[in-house]
Amino acid sequence: MKRKMKTLTFTILSNDANKVVTRFQLPRKIVYIVSFIAIIPIILSFYFFNETNQKQQMNNHLAADLTIQTNKVDGLQTKVDSMEQKTAKVQAKMKELKLLESQMRESMTELPVSLGPSGGIDIQIPENEMKQSEFVKHYKKTIDEMEQTNKELKHTPTIWPSSSHSISSEFGPRSDPFNRSSSLHTGIDIRGSTGTPVYAGADGTVTLAKYYGGYGNTIKVRHSDKFVTLYSHLSEIKVKQGDNLKKGDNIGSIGSTGRSTGPHLHYEILENGKPVDPYPYMTIFNK
């Protein structure tokens, strides 16, 4: 028995009564295919509209993040400028100390060997001795100010954490090297060969020295109530938790452990618990 093909009949009518009514038939499959092809542009339009909307939202989010990070960098630059001023003050104080020491020696040679009473009920203090006393006060005050500034600088990460100065990825928004999505890079990456020494950015105490998830072999150092530094993807860890460090101590070596595409040092500075751009601190004395 011959199988009957399923068709759809289309009738075209005319307003003219003398014209013949036109009828034609099409297989259902063809009608369905044509209908599907007609729907494809609508589906694609909806898809691209939705994709564009998501991209726009992501761009707006990144723009907001960038604005926040820019404000943080501006604030950080203000702090760095303040530190530079402190450094300039220290240098000025050093010159002042040399001058004070010279003046003190001169004033001391001018003092009489024996100071006796000059009569009456008062003993006058010689002018040179009063002058020397003022020098001593000024000298001590200057020393105290210098010691305080030097203490702050010792616990502020102001040096390059590696002998390599080649930066492969900066702080801020970037495309993730693994999934190509937009993300915030919370530190800087310093390119270097495996085994290149890594140095402590400032005086401090090691709070973490172990494999640390995607960071790989990682060291964290607390320098003060304000600053913490992080060094990751290391091939070697040379310190342990609780060790006290001096600025510039060799604490490990560059590697590619954890979530890494090649040998480099991921270096972070956290100020009051939040990541900031390390570069202004690393270059404060080297501009």
Side-chain angles (χ1 to χ4, degrees):
M1 184 176 179
K2 192 174 180 181
R3 188 177 179 182
K4 187 178 180 181
M5 182 180 290
K6 294 181 179 180
T7 61
L8 292 176
T9 302
F10 295 87
T11 302
I12 301 176
L13 301 176
S14 174
N15 292 329
D16 190 347
N18 296 323
K19 286 190 177 180
V20 180
V21 175
T22 304
R23 290 187 178 87
F24 62 91
Q25 294 181 332
L26 288 175
R28 288 177 182 271
K29 288 183 179 179
I30 294 177
V31 174
Y32 293 154
I33 291 172
V34 171
S35 299
F36 179 72
I37 292 173
I39 293 173
I40 287 177
I42 299 174
I43 296 174
L44 288 176
S45 297
F46 178 78
Y47 171 78
F48 286 120
F49 174 79
N50 186 53
E51 190 73 13
T52 302
N53 188 45
Q54 288 182 354
K55 290 288 185 183
Q56 184 61 45
Q57 290 179 357
M58 184 178 293
N59 288 338
N60 292 339
H61 179 68
L62 286 175
D65 282 345
L66 183 59
T67 300
I68 293 171
Q69 295 303 325
T70 301
N71 292 336
K72 286 183 179 179
V73 170
D74 290 342
L76 180 59
Q77 187 60 50
T78 301
K79 294 174 185 176
V80 170
D81 291 341
S82 175
M83 290 178 64
E84 288 179 333
Q85 292 174 3
K86 286 184 179 180
T87 304
K89 286 181 181 179
V90 170
Q91 294 172 344
K93 292 293 184 183
M94 288 293 292
K95 292 180 181 179
E96 186 179 353
L97 284 177
K98 290 181 181 180
L99 178 61
L100 284 171
E101 287 176 347
S102 174
Q103 292 175 333
M104 284 177 64
R105 282 194 293 270
E106 290 177 4
S107 64
M108 288 176 71
T109 57
E110 295 173 1
L111 287 175
V113 177
S114 176
L115 297 177
S118 60
I121 60 174
D122 291 329
I123 300 177
Q124 299 294 325
I125 299 176
E127 184 179 345
N128 287 339
E129 188 175 355
M130 292 180 65
K131 183 179 179 182
Q132 183 194 21
S133 177
E134 291 301 318
F135 282 149
V136 171
K137 288 180 182 178
H138 196 174
Y139 185 85
K140 288 182 177 180
K141 182 180 178 182
T142 302
I143 289 291
D144 290 341
E145 290 175 354
M146 284 185 60
E147 287 180 348
Q148 180 60 32
T149 302
N150 284 332
K151 184 178 179 181
E152 290 180 16
L153 290 175
K154 282 181 181 179
H155 293 86
T156 302
T158 57
I159 67 170
W160 280 82
S162 172
S163 55
S164 172
H165 287 200
S166 176
I167 296 177
S168 57
S169 183
E170 298 179 346
F171 176 89
R174 70 168 182 177
S175 175
D176 188 280
F178 287 91
N179 54 32
R180 300 300 176 187
S181 64
S182 298
S183 62
L184 176 64
H185 191 218
T186 54
I188 62 169
D189 292 341
I190 300 176
R191 184 188 297 109
S193 57
T194 299
T196 302
V198 173
Y199 307 112
D203 290 11
T205 303
V206 177
T207 58
L208 182 145
K210 64 179 182 180
Y211 195 89
Y212 194 48
Y215 283 101
N217 292 329
T218 300
I219 297 170
K220 272 188 180 182
V221 182
R222 175 164 290 281
H223 304 288
S224 63
D225 292 337
K226 187 176 183 181
F227 291 110
V228 172
T229 52
L230 179 145
Y231 316 76
S232 66
H233 306 305
L234 305 175
S235 62
E236 181 183 13
I237 295 175
K238 296 185 177 182
V239 294
K240 62 182 183 300
Q241 186 174 342
D243 284 353
N244 293 318
L245 305 176
K246 295 292 183 183
K247 181 178 288 192
D249 282 352
N250 182 197
I251 59 175
S253 305
I254 284 180
S256 187
T257 57
R259 193 170 182 266
S260 169
T261 58
H264 71 285
L265 169 67
H266 174 80
Y267 176 59
E268 292 185 17
I269 294 180
L270 289 90
E271 184 178 350
N272 297 320
K274 296 181 180 180
V276 296
D277 188 355
Y279 190 75
Y281 282 102
M282 294 158 50
T283 57
I284 186 172
F285 298 123
N286 230 348
K287 289 188 175 182

